Amino acid sequence: MASPTSRFSGTGALSPVSEDENVKVARRLTLVRNLRAPAFQYAWTFYHDKYTDSQNYEGRLTLLKEDIVTAKPFWEVLNSFPFDALKLKDSVHFFKRGVKPVWEDPRNVKGGSWTFRVPKAQSEDFWKEVLMLAVGEQFVDVIQPRDDLCGLSMSVRFNSNLITIWNRDGANEKTKDGILAVVLENVSPELKPQPRNYYYKRHSEHAGFSEVVARASERSKEAEEGRIAEAEVRGPEGDEALLKDVEGIDLKELGGEAPA
């Protein structure tokens, strides 16, 4: 019989694997598991905004992937999305969970964004690099208290693409300066934009902002009035009957009655 340290016997048959080798394999597996990328600090969502003439911007959004907290789903979306197939004025958005990529979102309404006008030949690389800065928490140290990095967008234009970085407080100069510095200091040298190709603008300074926010406020008001009207028609007895129709629901647990 071949010795335990030999991989093959004299007849060509496989020899038993030694205990030492099993230990080595186990150590390698442990090392691989420990090298798995840690979860992102925040959960993120990818959206596709397919341009139409509709003024309901939120209604144009298509959810691509939500609750992205590790590198695997992040790169799956980024590598599989047909970047070159985006039409003129289409956009892709990458936003923190719970924040919609629209001005009227409560977390965006007082904010603004840096816009970088990037040549089409460089825009996909620039887009990937700023996304990696975001998930890699490179902006954390420059975001001031009561401010936040809300998300990033890439929008197709005729001769170039617009890549924007949104923050919550459009009046916070330290955050604004810090975001720009992180981008300029960390993107690849060949992608570094010239000063004439980037600018900061508060959302409220855009044409149409007031109309968009007013429409959103009206829709919210109508929805709330509808909920109130429905509750009035149903009444307390209707609420209780509705709950009793759902098997296993205890009205006391839902706060319908005070506990004994």
Side-chain angles (χ1 to χ4, degrees), residues 20-216:
D20 287 345
E21 189 167 352
N22 281 329
V23 171
K24 290 179 182 178
V25 171
R27 286 175 178 171
R28 291 193 194 103
L29 289 173
T30 300
L31 178 61
V32 169
R33 293 190 186 102
N34 290 339
L35 287 175
R36 287 182 301 180
F40 298 153
Q41 183 173 348
Y42 301 99
W44 299 82
T45 302
F46 267 116
Y47 299 92
H48 176 204
D49 177 356
K50 188 174 182 180
Y51 176 75
T52 67
D53 291 333
S54 172
Q55 293 182 324
N56 180 13
Y57 298 103
E58 187 171 347
R60 297 181 348 198
L61 296 174
T62 298
L63 180 67
L64 296 177
K65 185 75 173 178
E66 60 183 341
D67 291 337
I68 298 172
V69 295
T70 61
K72 186 174 184 291
F74 169 80
W75 284 110
E76 284 176 348
V77 175
L78 207 57
N79 291 331
S80 64
F81 186 80
F83 191 88
D84 294 337
L86 291 170
K87 304 297 184 183
L88 187 66
K89 294 187 179 182
D90 275 9
S91 300
V92 182
H93 306 283
F94 185 67
F95 270 65
K96 285 182 178 176
R97 179 169 56 191
V99 186
K100 290 288 184 66
V102 292
W103 296 334
E104 60 269 32
D105 187 290
R107 285 135 303 191
N108 291 328
V109 71
K110 294 183 178 180
S113 65
W114 278 105
T115 297
F116 300 86
R117 186 176 296 276
V118 184
K120 285 185 177 290
Q122 297 179 329
S123 59
E124 185 171 3
D125 289 336
F126 189 94
W127 171 237
K128 288 181 178 180
E129 289 199 12
V130 294
L131 287 181
M132 287 189 287
L133 291 175
V135 298
E137 305 303 335
Q138 298 302 301
F139 295 105
V140 168
D141 291 339
V142 302
I143 302 298
Q144 301 300 305
R146 294 182 295 279
D147 202 352
D148 195 15
L149 180 75
C150 299
L152 305 91
S153 303
M154 197 287 301
S155 303
V156 178
R157 294 298 184 264
F158 187 70
N159 290 320
S160 60
N161 292 331
L162 304 180
I163 294 172
T164 52
I165 302 175
W166 303 42
N167 72 297
R168 187 171 186 172
D169 183 359
N172 197 313
E173 297 298 328
K174 287 186 177 180
T175 293
K176 290 155 57 176
D177 292 344
I179 290 174
L180 178 62
V182 169
V183 173
L184 297 181
E185 291 170 7
N186 289 280
V187 296
S188 299
E190 66 273 15
L191 299 176
K192 187 175 179 179
Q194 297 298 314
R196 65 178 181 276
N197 290 330
Y198 57 81
Y199 59 89
Y200 188 90
K201 196 170 186 178
R202 298 181 70 169
H203 303 319
S204 59
E205 296 173 337
H206 287 272
F209 172 85
S210 297
E211 290 79 3
V212 167
V213 173
R215 283 195 301 269

Side-chain angles (χ1 to χ4, degrees), residues 217-227:
S217 177
E218 186 62 28
R219 288 196 300 269
S220 178
K221 181 180 178 181
E222 290 173 356
E224 181 62 25
E225 289 175 347
R227 286 191 292 269

